[in-house]
Amino acid sequence: MAAAPGVAVVLAAGALSVAGDSAAMVALVLRAHADSGGAAAVTALLLCFALPVVATTGAAGALADRADPRRLLLVAGLVQAGAAAGLAVVDDLATTCLLVLVMQTGFALGQPVWGAVGPALVGERRVGRLVSLQHALRGVAGPAGAGLGGVLVQSVGAGAVLTLDAASFVLLALAGASLQVPRPTAPAARPTVRDAVLPRAGVAALREHPVLWVLVLALFPMVVAVESVNAAEVFLVRDVLGASAAGYGLAEAVHGGAAVVGALAAGGLTRLTFRVRAVLAAVAVVALAQVGAGLAPAYASYLAAAAVSGAALGVVNALVFALLLSEVDAARRGSVVAFVSGVSRGCSVAALSLGGVLTATAGPRTAYLVAGTAGLLIALAAVLGVHRSVDSRSTVRG
């Protein structure tokens, strides 16, 4: 697969995009904290990072399926670069938020394209391995970008970090323009204004595959359940289990590293039936690991639960996107990826709010137990839904 023209560019560019996004977020959050902006300023920044991905779901999907991918990736990268360059020289909150919205709009428009061009480069049979590698590299790139951003802010300042981000986004734009991929074949019907606002094409494509539709519907509440404990984690690890700051960092590293391993392992599954079963099993394992973390009597057992949860999440993420790219027709892949990514990001925003409230009112252990129990119910509902879809439509093929 590595020999296919453009594959290395897609893999490297996708990782660079995630790393640059993470570094920029850390730099801006640290700058807001240093400027005594308070929790409101940090929350506003985080919302600005998330909202464009949610708001442009329909438009991003329509463009990914119809526009020349090279031109779209070039424009998206240059938009990100321009906004990052602006963020390097301004520091008032209002302008910062506006430029973050612009930068993340470029990110939102580019990401579905990076996901959708892969099958055209490697062929349908190798999509699963490509997606596994993409998720593994992005799983490394996100924490690496965040960590590097923090180190550079401390040593050279946030402005220098954002200038480097701008340069990386220029490289991203040039990488996109260099891809040798055909322009997508546009559907017969022209998109309406409603199509550009709402992700109707992505929803319609998924509903033609009942098993995929069930898995995606299960994915969204699972994101809420899994990410809701992000607000509780530091309190459980530091206050309840008594771990040091380094111990908290180690838990994050173990979770992220295990996710990379899980994503790579998932690449070995190629048959549709096996992929679906593995996703359902992994969702249940994530939930059980959350319950285990909530009941952990000591830091070591929490660390083990974090490793299990991370590996299972790596499997879920890699296989769900492999299924989307391999089972949905090429003309609508961008719409599907944009829809799933946008709604998932919206669920992440909801998860932070719910997790914070639950942690503040019931404590971190309870937050983990509630999230894990909800995850088990989601897994059970997904199993029943998949079996019902198979029985009624016979869509799962060996």
Side-chain angles (χ1 to χ4, degrees):
M1 183 180 68
V7 172
V9 173
V10 170
L11 291 172
L16 178 63
S17 176
V18 172
D21 191 52
S22 299
M25 183 173 68
V26 167
L28 291 170
V29 167
L30 288 174
R31 187 169 73 180
H33 179 267
D35 292 343
S36 301
V42 172
T43 301
L45 279 175
L46 293 177
L47 286 174
C48 288
F49 268 90
L51 288 177
V53 181
V54 180
T56 62
T57 298
L63 286 171
D65 287 335
R66 294 174 172 86
D68 183 339
R70 290 168 296 183
R71 184 176 299 176
L72 182 54
L73 290 172
L74 175 64
V75 172
L78 292 179
V79 166
Q80 288 178 274
L87 287 167
V89 297
V90 302
D91 57 8
D92 65 285
L93 183 60
T95 306
T96 295
C97 286
L98 177 61
L99 287 173
V100 168
L101 289 172
V102 173
M103 183 174 69
Q104 289 305 98
T105 299
F107 175 82
L109 296 179
Q111 278 299 100
V113 184
W114 286 118
V117 297
L121 296 172
V122 302
E124 301 297 334
R125 291 185 176 182
R126 297 179 178 179
V127 168
R129 293 189 183 278
L130 175 65
V131 173
S132 296
L133 281 173
Q134 284 177 320
H135 278 274
L137 288 173
R138 292 174 185 181
V140 172
L148 182 61
V151 170
L152 290 176
V153 167
Q154 184 172 334
S155 58
V156 298
V161 176
L162 292 163
T163 300
L164 289 174
D165 270 337
S168 73
F169 292 139
V170 171
L171 292 177
L172 195 66
L174 296 176
S178 73
L179 288 177
Q180 298 299 314
V181 290
R183 177 171 178 160
T185 302
R190 294 180 61 85
T192 65
V193 173
R194 184 178 296 181
D195 291 327
V197 176
L198 301 175
R200 301 201 312 174
V203 172
L206 284 171
R207 296 198 67 167
E208 292 176 5
H209 300 268
V211 170
L212 294 187
W213 181 238
V214 170
L215 291 179
V216 168
L217 289 181
L219 176 67
F220 296 148
M222 179 192 166
V223 170
V224 177
V226 169
E227 297 196 15
S228 65
V229 299
N230 289 346
E233 183 179 13
V234 66
F235 298 101
L236 178 62
V237 173
R238 297 295 313 276
D239 299 341
V240 178
L241 299 177
S244 64
Y248 173 70
L250 176 61
E252 290 288 293
V254 167
H255 186 274
V260 172
V261 173
L264 289 173
L269 297 176
T270 58
R271 295 177 63 183
L272 176 59
T273 302
F274 292 161
R275 284 175 173 175
V276 171
R277 289 175 179 172
V279 170
L280 295 173
V283 170
V285 169
V286 171
L288 288 171
Q290 284 188 310
V291 172
L295 297 174
Y299 173 72
S301 51
Y302 172 85
L303 209 60
V308 172
S309 174
L313 274 175
V315 171
V316 171
N317 289 332
L319 288 184
V320 166
F321 277 91
L323 284 166
L324 295 180
L325 293 177
S326 60
E327 296 301 317
V328 174
D329 62 276
R332 293 186 289 180
R333 281 174 180 152
S335 295
V336 169
V337 172
F339 166 66
V340 174
S341 299
V343 178
S344 295
R345 185 63 72 94
C347 291
S348 298
V349 174
L352 288 173
S353 302
L354 292 173
V357 171
L358 188 57
T359 301
T361 57
R365 283 197 185 275
T366 301
Y368 270 84
L369 294 175
V370 170
T373 301
L376 288 172
L377 294 175
I378 293 166
L380 177 60
V383 169
L384 294 175
V386 166
H387 279 293
R388 185 175 302 169
S389 298
V390 172
D391 291 340
S392 61
R393 296 284 300 272
S394 299
T395 53
V396 175
R397 304 179 303 276

